[in-house]
Amino acid sequence: MPKSELTQFDGNPLEYCSFVNKFDAMIECKPGNDKVKLMYLIQFCAGKARDSIENCTFLGLEGYKKAREILHDQFGQPFLVTTAHVMKVLSRQQIRPNNGAALWDLTRAMRRCEMVLSRMGFRADTDSSDNLLRIQQLLPRHICRWSGQNEHTP
C-alpha cells in the first residue's frame, strides 16, 4: 500500500476528528511506549494545538494520555466540532447563478458536515429546519424556484 500521510493539526476543530482518526490508525495502534507516541503527537501538531501539549513531556509516562485529553478538551469537544462544521456550511456567500464550482463546494461542505455530525450523534443539527432554510437562502434563486418555491418569494 502507498505510504499514508498525516498532516499537522493546528487546533482547527474542523480538522480534529480527521486528525485523531488518522493519528490513531497510523501511530496509536502500533506497539510502542507512550513517550514515543507523545513525541509523534507533538510532532504532528502545530500552532495552538502544539502549544497546548508541548509541556506534557514533563509528565513522564502520563504525558501522552494528558496530551490527548488536552487536545480533546480544547479542540475536540462535540459542541466545538459540530458548531465549526455547521458554520462552515452556513457562513458563506450566496451562490451566484451558474456558479457550479460554488455549488460543488457547498455540497462537499454539507456532506462532510453530515458525516461528522452523524458520527458524533448530532444529526438533528443538520436536519433542523432553521439550518435547512439558511442553506436554501445560499442557493441561487432559480434553483429555489425550480424546487417548487413560489416565484414571488424573495
Side-chain angles (χ1 to χ4, degrees), residues 13 63 138:
L138 296 173

Side-chain angles (χ1 to χ4, degrees), residues 110-143:
M110 289 174 63
R111 186 172 290 131
R112 184 175 183 186
C113 180
E114 189 273 330
M115 285 189 282
V116 170
L117 271 62
S118 290
R119 184 159 194 261
M120 296 181 79
F122 286 85
R123 175 73 194 224
D125 290 348
T126 58
D127 293 341
S128 82
S129 57
D130 187 46
N131 285 341
L132 293 173
L133 287 172
R134 289 173 66 186
I135 292 168
Q136 181 185 10
Q137 291 171 351
L138 296 173
L139 299 173
R141 294 189 192 279
H142 71 280
I143 291 176

Side-chain angles (χ1 to χ4, degrees), residues 140-149 151:
R141 294 189 192 279
H142 71 280
I143 291 176
C144 295
R145 273 186 255 147
W146 177 81
S147 67
Q149 184 181 22
E151 290 186 26

Side-chain angles (χ1 to χ4, degrees), residues 98-116:
N98 301 320
N99 189 344
L103 280 171
W104 277 113
D105 188 44
L106 176 62
T107 301
R108 283 188 295 275
M110 289 174 63
R111 186 172 290 131
R112 184 175 183 186
C113 180
E114 189 273 330
M115 285 189 282
V116 170

